[in-house]
Amino acid sequence: MCGIIGYIGSRNAIPILINGLKKLEYRGYDSAGISFLTGSQLGVRRCAGKIRELEGFIQKEKLKSTIGVGHTRWATHGKPSEENAHPHRAGGIVVVHNGIIENYFELREGMKKEGHRFTSETDTEVICHLILTYTQKGLSLEEATKEALKHLEGAYALGIMSEAEPDRILAVKNDSPLVVGLGEGEHFIASDIPAFLKYTRDVMILENGDIASVSRSGVSVWNMHAGKKVNRKVEQITWSPAMAEKAGFRHFMLKEIFEQPRAIADTIRGRISLEQGDVNLSEFSLKGGDLKKLNKIYLVACGTSWHAALVGKYMIEDMVRVPCDVDIASEFRYRKPIIPKGSLMIVITQSGETADTLAAQREARRLGARVLTICNVVGSTSSREADGVFYTHSGPEIGVASTKAFTTQLTALYIFSVALARARGRLGASEAQDLFHELLQLPEKVKAALECNDAVKKIARKYCRVRDFLYLGRGINYPIALEGALKLKEISYIHAEGYPAGEMKHGPIALIDNNMPVLAVAPDDNVLEKILSNMEEVKSRGGTLIAVANEGNTKVATRATDAVYMPRTNYYLTPVIMSIPIHLLAYHIAVLRKCNVDQPRNLAKSVTVE
Ligand code: M6R
């Protein structure tokens, strides 16, 4: 997830671009850049770091221009550095890009053979070179862009400028957001409305396949799929600037919960081949041969990432039949672990900077294990020090409570489990294809699951004043009970515990009375009957039951006082779906208790101290 801004008009574009980038910084902040035209001469200024670094860097130059594009980056391909920062340039063409070009590697290799010289590690640079190739054949910028787009696979929003046509910006949208702001004799393009809300409230929302040609006098839109010019509605935005920053959501946490369909789709993108039932292993830097030799896996993480690790154990042991140990990172390093030859440590970390996780990762390497990190931040310490990286591509997570990072970690673990199972001959191509079919439906199912928001809010109103909460789960969904309890503690300050439901009778059942709600995570899986009995045990002792179950499950309905029903998916992916109402419940309870949802007391987003 990156941020794009563009301006064309009569004012100086430079401060407009910088202000816009500051508003988009929540979308990415590892490097930034702008490009502008002075007459028909393109200038590019970029640097690693935050927007204020870019601002400081260009301030001395007193730059002036009435047309330009800018970009704030959240790295997906290539580390955060000046060379990889956008805008990218080839000849007289510059491009800013948000999204992922899945086939960039093949395109780049092909163009290298034709003599193109690449200066970055990004997927974006191929777009400039492709457009340049077609302009050199005599096509206009718009026609050249149309030809170039035919080669691209993946998701993208683009801002494009050309020295040869200094009076227009092209805005292209395909599966990544892009909007056009309409002013008097001036126009804007941006990934998100807050970037230009200060200047105009009239917004044109582009649709997939749109190429908007934006000039001072107007905007015309061509749609690639329709193969013709189209009219797009102009809407008046009534949000306040603060609301707009969170895309109209009240908090970053809620925004991030609702971003999950996109985040999961981006995590899957380019990783699997449905036709062959195979996983693309190239970016893990672990080869099929390495995977065959593994005989032990350690999953290590902290907090919510540790819950993902627990789910990962169920996935890997079930699909791959390799023994897995799961450790809390701060425990691993002090327990004198025995690491046999052929061990792999899978580190799971959103930030890639958690001190305890890094210490465990270093200890494992010292003891001879190879390390794969499942990480959300490109270029983070964990990713730099690992033997292989699986980036989750969920975009920056601003809310301290981890939500989309968690479900994308689960998605990554699912893909990695299939890769491992295929490499070791535990899964045939057709079984992998079945698993992929289900995976590809996951973004849509998560979208459907999010429809429970109003029902969950009602439940939150009923229980938001309690002092204690108990969460129960079994099997692969036991970690989801832990996750529910952690989220509630973290943002609402209600005491909560997560328990494997079968353990209730060994102690915690003594706590049950009508003051403590018990939430059961009860999807239709191999332990449904077991958890139904555990629910009976709670009910018969006067406990109040809330259930999270699958659509049409009447057995759960008769036992629970309140229930929410989720779409069905396969066994391994139920934790992704079940975590949607769990996260929403914690969120709504915290809001009702007037807690600081995005920045809970005593907590930091990234815990970089032991
Ligand atoms: O960045 P990491 O995934 O390594 O962070 C680990 C935990 O600090 C983190 O998951 C924490 O538990 C969250 N605040 C939970 O919502």
Side-chain angles (χ1 to χ4, degrees):
M1 198 159 96
C2 302
I4 290 177
I5 174 81
Y7 173 78
I8 180 165
S10 53
R11 301 190 234 193
N12 185 6
I14 311 300
I16 295 174
L17 297 178
I18 295 291
N19 282 335
L21 289 179
K22 284 184 183 163
K23 296 282 175 208
L24 294 172
E25 205 160 15
Y26 72 90
R27 300 180 63 86
Y29 40 74
D30 61 41
S31 52
I34 57 167
S35 177
F36 46 91
L37 277 155
T38 323
S40 58
Q41 188 117 50
L42 271 174
V44 176
R45 302 289 184 277
R46 319 180 288 184
C47 67
K50 301 209 169 195
I51 313 296
R52 63 169 182 272
E53 264 133 289
L54 176 72
E55 194 178 18
F57 164 64
I58 60 173
Q59 228 155 32
K60 296 159 218 142
E61 289 192 77
K62 308 243 177 314
L63 298 168
K64 282 217 163 54
S65 167
T66 54
I67 170 171
V69 290
H71 187 269
T72 179
R73 182 168 183 247
W74 180 259
T76 58
H77 293 75
K79 60 186 174 296
S81 65
E82 191 194 326
E83 303 74 59
N84 290 334
H86 299 215
H88 287 284
R89 178 175 185 168
I93 307 289
V94 289
V95 172
V96 284
H97 166 216
N98 167 34
I100 297 169
I101 305 301
E102 289 168 19
N103 58 336
Y104 84 100
F105 188 77
E106 300 84 48
L107 290 173
R108 192 173 63 184
E109 294 311 296
M111 284 192 278
K112 271 187 188 165
K113 285 186 194 134
E114 288 164 14
H116 290 258
R117 238 191 88 243
F118 289 83
T119 55
S120 79
E121 303 160 295
T122 65
D123 50 343
T124 307
E125 212 184 342
V126 297
I127 308 172
C128 319
H129 284 265
L130 274 172
I131 298 174
L132 179 67
T133 309
Y134 287 107
T135 54
Q136 283 170 339
K137 288 182 182 158
L139 296 186
S140 69
L141 181 63
E142 187 169 335
E143 291 306 321
T145 301
K146 284 180 197 166
E147 288 306 312
L149 295 183
K150 292 180 187 162
H151 298 270
L152 302 183
E153 288 167 21
Y156 45 86
L158 307 171
I160 306 165
M161 290 196 312
S162 159
E163 279 183 343
E165 296 182 37
D167 290 320
R168 76 180 70 250
I169 300 174
L170 289 190
V172 181
K173 180 194 147 64
N174 185 50
D175 276 340
S176 293
L178 200 62
V179 291
V180 179
L182 302 114
E184 288 290 323
E186 60 181 5
H187 294 101
F188 306 79
I189 66 164
S191 303
D192 213 346
I193 297 161
F196 54 64
L197 201 57
K198 196 171 149 190
Y199 311 102
T200 181
R201 288 184 169 268
D202 291 337
V203 176
M204 182 190 282
I205 316 273
L206 298 180
E207 291 181 18
N208 280 343
D210 280 356
I211 304 177
S213 176
V214 183
S215 66
R216 287 179 184 84
S217 54
V219 179
S220 68
V221 184
W222 168 275
N223 185 274
M224 290 287 284
H225 307 309
K228 59 176 185 186
K229 272 195 166 185
V230 288
N231 287 322
R232 297 286 174 234
K233 223 169 83 196
V234 177
E235 293 182 31
Q236 263 260 317
I237 299 300
T238 52
W239 304 338
S240 70
M243 270 170 82
E245 197 164 49
K246 299 177 187 107
F249 290 100
R250 201 165 152 194
H251 297 98
F252 279 111
M253 180 180 174
L254 191 61
K255 174 174 174 282
E256 285 158 7
I257 289 175
F258 275 85
E259 269 172 13
Q260 286 174 107
R262 194 270 315 147
I264 292 170
D266 280 352
T267 303
I268 301 169
R269 205 179 297 288
R271 255 77 188 246
I272 60 169
S273 151
L274 188 59
E275 273 155 39
Q276 271 121 40
D278 265 331
V279 174
N280 168 11
L281 287 171
S282 59
E283 67 178 335
F284 304 165
S285 330
L286 289 169
K287 307 283 167 280
D290 300 326
L291 300 182
K292 268 187 209 146
K293 281 183 231 143
L294 289 181
N295 48 36
K296 179 84 197 238
I297 294 179
Y298 295 84
L299 292 135
V300 175
C302 299
T304 285
S305 298
W306 176 65
H307 299 153
L310 290 168
V311 175
K313 176 181 166 78
Y314 284 90
M315 290 182 185
I316 297 171
E317 289 195 338
D318 199 70
M319 280 193 224
V320 192
R321 308 306 296 160
V322 171
C324 296
D325 273 4
V326 183
D327 274 273
I328 288 182
S330 55
E331 290 296 317
F332 178 86
R333 52 192 296 205
Y334 296 114
R335 74 166 170 84
K336 299 204 178 107
I338 302 160
I339 309 276
K341 209 163 171 270
S343 293
L344 173 75
M345 175 183 272
I346 303 180
V347 165
I348 306 175
T349 171
Q350 185 283 130
S351 61
E353 303 296 346
T354 303
D356 289 321
T357 307
L358 291 175
Q361 172 172 348
R362 287 170 188 152
E363 179 64 1
R365 291 196 87 199
R366 192 183 70 78
L367 295 170
R370 303 198 71 193
V371 173
L372 170 76
T373 182
I374 296 179
C375 184
N376 193 36
V377 182
V378 176
S380 60
T381 309
S382 179
S383 65
R384 288 198 312 270
E385 294 186 8
D387 298 298
V389 188
F390 192 136
Y391 287 117
T392 43
H393 297 327
S394 71
E397 198 177 57
I398 310 282
V400 163
S402 191
T403 52
K404 62 176 181 172
F406 177 60
T407 48
T408 54
Q409 287 166 350
L410 299 181
T411 307
L413 282 161
Y414 181 91
I415 296 171
F416 186 69
S417 304
V418 177
L420 208 51
R422 289 286 285 134
R424 298 169 71 92
R426 304 272 342 173
L427 276 182
S430 77
E431 290 161 301
Q433 281 163 340
D434 288 347
L435 291 165
F436 289 161
H437 271 297
E438 198 55 46
L439 180 67
L440 291 169
Q441 288 176 44
L442 189 62
E444 275 308 311
K445 289 196 177 171
V446 168
K447 205 162 162 195
L450 287 164
E451 281 169 23
C452 73
N453 190 33
D454 287 341
V456 174
K457 206 188 284 181
K458 262 193 208 149
I459 296 176
R461 274 194 211 109
K462 212 163 149 186
Y463 299 101
C464 65
R465 296 288 151 216
V466 300
R467 274 189 44 196
D468 308 281
F469 230 104
L470 197 60
Y471 287 76
L472 302 180
R474 290 191 80 130
I476 200 166
N477 283 292
Y478 155 52
I480 303 307
L482 296 177
E483 171 64 4
L486 175 64
K487 280 289 149 349
L488 193 68
K489 282 186 264 213
E490 186 178 19
I491 59 171
S492 76
Y493 320 137
I494 293 175
H495 166 242
E497 286 190 53
Y499 247 90
E503 267 292 292
M504 285 294 284
K505 55 190 172 298
H506 300 288
I509 204 160
L511 290 168
I512 299 298
D513 65 15
N514 58 10
N515 292 320
M516 184 167 67
V518 179
L519 186 147
V521 185
D524 294 358
D525 62 12
N526 58 333
V527 285
L528 176 66
E529 291 304 322
K530 301 284 168 202
I531 202 160
L532 287 172
S533 313
N534 303 134
M535 288 168 72
E536 283 295 348
E537 289 159 16
V538 171
K539 209 177 162 199
S540 60
R541 284 158 184 85
T544 311
L545 270 169
I546 306 162
V548 179
N550 280 130
E551 283 156 346
N553 188 324
T554 48
K555 288 182 180 169
V556 169
T558 54
R559 286 165 177 90
T561 310
D562 294 284
V564 274
Y565 296 100
M566 296 290 108
R568 279 157 212 281
T569 179
N570 71 19
Y571 165 76
Y572 305 111
L573 294 174
T574 49
V576 175
I577 300 289
M578 293 292 136
S579 60
I580 306 292
I582 291 287
H583 286 163
L584 282 170
L585 183 66
Y587 170 78
H588 288 301
I589 290 182
V591 171
L592 289 163
R593 290 168 73 95
K594 301 200 177 352
C595 296
N596 186 342
V597 172
D598 284 332
Q599 288 171 331
R601 69 185 183 204
N602 307 338
L603 292 175
K605 180 68 188 158
S606 176
V607 186
T608 54
V609 290
E610 193 184 345

